[in-house]
Amino acid sequence: MTKYIGKSMSRVDGVAKVTGKAKYAAEYSAPDLAYGYVVCSTIAKGKITRINTDEVLQIPGVIQLFTHENRPRLACFDLNYKDQDAPPGSPFRPLRDEKVVYNGQPIALVVAETFEVARYAASLVKVEYEQEDHDTALEHNLHRGRGPKSGVASLLKSPPPKPRGDFEKAFQAAPFKTTGQHIHSVEHHNPIEMFSSTVVYEKNGKLTIYDKTQGAPNSQMYVAQVFNLPFKDVRVISPYVGGAFGSGLRPQYQLFLAVLAALELKRSVRVSLTRQQMFTFGHRPATVQNLSLGATADGTLDAIRHDAIAETSRFEDYFEIVVNWSGMLYPAENTKSTYDLVPLDVFTPLDMRAPGGVTGVPALEMEIDELAHKIGMDPVEFRLKNYTEKDMDQDLPFSSKELRECFRQGAERFGWSGRKPEPRSMRRGHTLIGWGMATGIWEASQGPARAEAVLTVNGKLRVTSATADIGTGTYTIMTQIAADTLGMPIEDVIFRLGDSDMPLAPIEGGSWTAATVGTAVKVACEDLGKKLFKMAQKMKNSPFADVKQDDITFADAHIRLKSDPSVAVSLLDIVGTNGGRAVSETSTSLPSMLEQRKYARAAHSAVFVEVEVDEDFGTVRVTRAVTAVAGGRILNPKTARSQIVGGMVWGISKALEEESVMDHQFGRFMNHNLSEYHVAVHADIRELDVIFVEENDTIVNPLGVKGLGEIGIVGMPAAVANAIFHATGKRVRSLPITLDKLL
């Protein structure tokens, strides 16, 4: 029986964060540290004809101004610039040449003795351009959509599923049908910590880099490949990350510029981005979707068509899984879907919490709600009638699926039975009340990873893996897994991460870290336990000399006989026989592909929302929400709830507020700050409730866990939009739903 897994525990890194002991990428110091400030382009397309360098270089304290004219020779091939999350195409190369390919592109780096001097000098850099016509408007270019280019990276993301049946025939014959166009605006990640890289230039020419990243090995690989450095000469450290949500999956341009400056100047350099510059790289892409649904007279969903067109850059084909979710949620016999891209003069979009899922699922769930309304069925009843136990597109059963129970428990907690079905039928005085709901789904994935477990001479367990913790609680759940596996008191266990010198782990994203790295930690501790047991068997007068591994257990920092727990040897005594040296084991975990490939694997949710809409002003307030989640085994209910609540808050923010507004005349985002890029704040959030539905899954991974980072957000925007429809009778398919769309 586990002692820590499944228990609510406060974050083991919490004290370090609230006391300021935790250090982030821009907080590490180094002797003779110089500071870099990035100069960004003010046009969207064209070429640089002149950059004045003489005036800037004469400013006291300025060390150098790097541009495309004086940068060193670097790697030539696109492959050198590709990282673990790179889509097909030619990755962006800062300072490559005089060409400008998007507004805000980094075109120069001023390096000075202080940050203030670098910032001042950067403001004096004068750039002359030869402008070309640019195009940044997706909705004006829908006719130019084409399928994503093929490439190795595209193998990681599924193409649209093949058609089933005959959609056109079924749709035309359907007595109930709905069609709608859904528009999702650009969004930017905007974590609290802005991107920064502190590159420490060592005496031997090696680099120690403190980087904001969701994968230290990914940044290490990028730097080594681009600058033609041995991997052993590049160490990337990132123990704490102040939020990322996908923005740290790819190395951002401040890393490139900081390393370039450090190598050229042979001294340590820090480059930090401003909040405005956080809008000059990846974002959630603008997407236009067209959905058509048809149902038979008895409410059977029979036909689904889902077409999506999204933006990408001119140089890379970033694409998402937008149109595949219907086949995982509904058993329609006749389906057709397409997904196209429109290259524009923008930077390549980037994975952002639930990429593709929080775009495609809300559009689908809003149309499902509309169809249920036209049929006259309760939204929950309609979903239960059209329930499936398998992924229709893959023709595979789910490894586990407790979505029915999510509907039941969520509806009961919310009080759904008290809902009056007709729009505008519920109110409090002058305020319209709406109740809406939606389904959520996110794939449960596992990848390969490595971890090391070390039992020290003083009986402490140290576990390491080069993963990241972007605020999700990775430190805590890995500590719990390690403590339970070797039966150690949790105060004697320390888990470390975020260092490229540690055992290799993939980038932290996609809700797969708990399954991927957690399994590696479990395997490493199990393998260490086997080694310790063999050592115990060789001890003088060992009670385990003739005992098999299956007959013992680890508990209370001892190896104990299952049949008689009083027969025991302490782990401290065992390591004491190792000549004053720690005992360690490094292990690799791999997904059980032969078994997993027989099943579809996903987390599911049911989201219920209440809104108040002012009848005169169109203002919307989400007054309460309930999310019921079937996410496999819950390792830590406290940190897990935080993950779901965070997703719910962001889902509300996406539904009602978040939008990066582009001025297409200049090809530049206008609201590139946190005063005008609106996000949900404390005053916007009321009562949020989370239910974890019990779900046992022996297929998905050895721990039985499903990631929770994304499942909390995917259903929320549709639930809010559906509640607004119930309150007002207006179906708004363009997010965010601002008051002008309701008046």
Side-chain angles (χ1 to χ4, degrees):
M1 180 178 290
T2 62
K3 184 176 180 181
Y4 299 110
I5 293 178
K7 301 295 191 297
S8 290
M9 293 184 56
S10 297
R11 295 172 188 256
V12 298
D13 54 324
V15 173
K17 288 183 175 179
V18 300
T19 59
K21 184 179 179 181
K23 294 179 73 173
Y24 296 82
E27 297 181 316
Y28 289 89
S29 189
D32 199 30
L33 180 66
Y35 297 82
Y37 196 94
V38 181
V39 179
C40 295
S41 72
T42 57
I43 68 169
K45 190 175 183 180
K47 64 180 181 180
I48 300 166
T49 58
R50 182 175 178 271
I51 300 181
N52 73 319
T53 59
D54 295 339
E55 179 184 352
V56 172
L57 291 173
Q58 291 173 5
I59 297 173
V62 170
I63 302 167
Q64 183 58 283
L65 173 64
F66 291 100
T67 71
H68 68 279
E69 295 174 339
N70 66 345
R71 72 157 177 82
R73 290 178 61 86
L74 300 172
C76 296
F77 300 106
D78 284 340
L79 187 61
N80 295 94
Y81 293 81
K82 285 188 177 289
D83 61 90
Q84 292 180 24
D85 198 42
S90 178
F92 175 72
R93 307 185 193 185
L95 308 188
R96 180 181 186 179
D97 51 33
E98 76 280 6
K99 295 180 181 178
V100 175
V101 296
Y102 75 97
N103 200 317
Q105 172 181 323
I107 57 174
L109 177 74
V110 178
V111 182
E113 297 292 348
T114 68
F115 172 79
E116 290 78 11
V117 170
R119 180 176 58 185
Y120 170 69
S123 72
L124 299 180
V125 174
K126 295 181 176 64
V127 185
E128 296 177 11
Y129 303 96
E130 184 178 299
Q131 276 189 263
E132 298 176 24
D133 292 337
H134 65 268
D135 201 339
T136 55
L138 173 64
E139 291 180 60
H140 297 164
N141 291 277
L142 299 179
H143 60 284
R144 295 200 297 109
R146 48 110 175 129
K149 296 176 182 177
S150 61
V152 175
S154 66
L155 298 176
L156 302 176
K157 295 184 177 181
S158 304
K162 295 179 180 179
R164 294 196 310 273
D166 187 335
F167 166 79
E168 283 78 10
K169 181 179 179 180
F171 183 72
Q172 291 301 321
F176 297 104
K177 62 186 71 173
T178 179
T179 297
Q181 183 176 82
H182 296 255
I183 300 173
H184 291 245
S185 301
V186 167
E187 298 172 51
H188 278 87
H189 301 73
N190 278 308
I192 293 176
E193 182 197 9
M194 292 169 285
F195 276 87
S196 180
S197 298
T198 302
V199 180
V200 180
Y201 189 87
E202 311 286 0
K203 292 180 179 180
N204 54 10
K206 296 184 177 182
L207 303 179
T208 300
I209 304 170
Y210 299 96
D211 188 38
K212 177 189 171 82
T213 176
Q214 289 176 247
N218 193 31
S219 291
Q220 177 199 37
M221 178 188 74
Y222 175 82
V223 169
Q225 291 179 164
V226 169
F227 293 93
N228 194 28
L229 300 172
F231 273 64
K232 63 181 178 62
D233 289 352
V234 180
R235 182 184 181 188
V236 177
I237 301 173
S238 182
Y240 297 101
V241 180
F245 318 116
S247 60
L249 290 173
R250 302 190 68 182
Q252 301 303 347
Y253 62 74
Q254 92 290 335
L255 173 62
F256 173 97
L257 295 172
V259 172
L260 182 149
L263 291 173
E264 287 298 291
L265 300 174
K266 292 182 169 50
R267 65 183 289 185
S268 301
V269 176
R270 172 181 298 149
V271 178
S272 301
L273 300 187
T274 66
R275 178 60 62 184
Q276 287 72 25
Q277 289 169 340
M278 293 290 286
F279 287 77
T280 61
F281 53 87
H283 53 268
R284 195 191 302 281
T287 307
V288 176
Q289 303 172 70
N290 291 294
L291 280 104
S292 296
L293 308 180
T296 61
D298 67 347
T300 299
L301 181 60
D302 190 44
I304 301 176
R305 174 153 189 168
H306 194 170
D307 301 311
I309 303 179
E311 64 170 1
T312 189
S313 67
R314 301 278 188 189
F315 45 90
E316 287 179 306
D317 265 20
Y318 172 84
F319 58 98
E320 298 181 331
I321 305 302
V322 175
V323 300
N324 300 38
W325 305 102
S326 61
M328 299 179 72
L329 285 173
Y330 300 106
E333 296 292 338
N334 304 280
T335 66
K336 188 175 183 179
S337 57
T338 63
Y339 179 77
D340 289 328
L341 296 176
V342 175
L344 297 171
D345 298 308
V346 298
F347 194 79
T348 305
L350 179 62
D351 290 341
M352 188 173 183
R353 196 173 200 170
V358 78
T359 302
V361 172
L364 172 66
E365 287 298 288
M366 288 161 69
E367 286 307 317
I368 289 289
D369 189 77
E370 177 68 11
L371 187 59
H373 171 69
K374 287 188 174 183
I375 296 171
M377 291 182 68
D378 178 84
V380 175
E381 180 187 351
F382 182 75
R383 286 167 172 81
L384 287 171
K385 180 174 180 60
N386 293 284
Y387 194 88
T388 179
E389 295 289 355
K390 69 176 183 177
D391 181 333
M392 298 293 292
D393 292 328
Q394 298 185 74
D395 195 26
L396 293 174
F398 285 99
S399 58
S400 60
K401 183 180 179 182
E402 293 295 340
L403 181 56
R404 287 184 188 274
E405 195 62 16
C406 290
F407 288 140
R408 188 189 69 79
Q409 293 188 30
E412 182 178 348
R413 181 77 61 87
F414 185 83
W416 186 258
S417 60
R419 178 181 185 265
K420 297 178 181 178
E422 286 303 312
R424 303 182 67 89
S425 61
M426 299 172 66
R427 61 172 62 230
R428 297 189 187 111
H430 198 64
T431 303
L432 298 170
I433 304 299
W435 287 7
M437 60 84 55
T439 306
I441 184 170
W442 186 255
E443 291 179 314
S445 303
Q446 180 194 359
R450 288 172 61 79
E452 180 186 42
V454 179
L455 188 66
T456 67
V457 292
N458 59 354
K460 306 295 184 181
L461 179 62
R462 303 288 184 265
V463 185
T464 57
S465 183
T467 185
D469 188 340
I470 59 173
T472 54
T474 302
Y475 274 110
T476 307
I477 62 172
M478 299 304 162
T479 302
Q480 291 175 267
I481 293 168
D484 265 7
T485 305
L486 274 180
M488 298 280 290
I490 202 151
E491 58 269 19
D492 288 342
V493 179
I494 293 180
F495 178 74
R496 294 193 175 97
L497 52 72
D499 189 332
S500 61
D501 279 358
M502 294 175 179
L504 185 64
I507 48 179
E508 194 255 17
S511 294
W512 75 345
T513 300
T516 298
V517 180
T519 300
V521 167
K522 183 175 188 292
V523 171
C525 291
E526 287 174 342
D527 290 346
L528 177 60
K530 293 174 184 176
K531 180 180 285 189
L532 292 169
F533 176 60
K534 290 180 180 179
M535 293 173 64
Q537 288 182 307
K538 296 176 182 178
M539 294 174 68
K540 186 176 181 180
N541 300 320
S542 172
F544 302 123
D546 299 319
V547 173
K548 296 179 180 179
Q549 178 86 31
D550 291 342
D551 296 328
I552 58 98
T553 188
F554 290 83
D556 305 316
H558 285 70
I559 297 179
R560 298 184 182 275
L561 195 64
K562 287 181 180 178
S563 60
D564 185 359
S566 65
V567 178
V569 176
S570 76
L571 300 184
L572 185 61
D573 288 343
I574 297 172
V575 76
T577 67
N578 201 40
R581 301 185 307 274
V583 182
S584 66
E585 190 67 38
T586 301
S587 303
T588 301
S589 67
L590 298 170
S592 180
M593 296 301 295
L594 288 177
E595 186 67 17
Q596 290 181 356
R597 66 189 299 181
K598 301 175 185 176
Y599 297 89
R601 305 178 306 281
H604 295 85
S605 68
V607 187
F608 298 83
V609 166
E610 178 184 87
V611 299
E612 292 180 349
V613 182
D614 187 284
E615 194 168 12
D616 291 331
F617 296 105
T619 53
V620 179
R621 181 180 295 278
V622 176
T623 49
R624 61 190 182 96
V626 175
T627 295
V629 179
R633 189 184 192 188
I634 304 302
L635 298 174
N636 183 332
K638 187 174 185 178
T639 57
R641 183 184 182 278
S642 293
Q643 281 295 285
I644 302 302
V645 167
M648 294 170 73
V649 170
W650 198 346
I652 294 169
S653 191
K654 177 178 176 62
L656 301 177
E657 300 181 55
E658 291 201 40
E659 180 180 19
S660 299
V661 181
M662 174 78 80
D663 184 335
H664 295 298
Q665 179 180 353
F666 300 102
R668 189 178 187 88
F669 291 109
M670 296 185 292
N671 57 334
H672 55 306
N673 54 68
L674 288 184
S675 63
E676 295 172 301
Y677 181 89
H678 296 159
V679 297
V681 296
H682 284 294
D684 299 316
I685 304 302
R686 297 288 187 90
E687 180 184 338
L688 302 181
D689 198 0
V690 179
I691 302 169
F692 288 113
V693 172
E694 185 174 347
E695 184 175 60
N696 298 313
D697 195 322
T698 60
I699 302 298
V700 68
N701 53 67
L703 288 166
V705 301
K706 297 179 180 180
L708 301 175
E710 267 91 358
I711 190 63
I713 186 175
V714 286
M716 181 59 73
V720 173
N722 294 340
I724 290 172
F725 170 75
H726 181 236
T728 66
K730 293 184 179 181
R731 179 69 66 184
V732 182
R733 294 177 169 90
S734 175
L735 300 184
I737 303 176
T738 47
L739 57 85
D740 56 297
K741 297 173 183 177
L742 289 175
L743 287 176

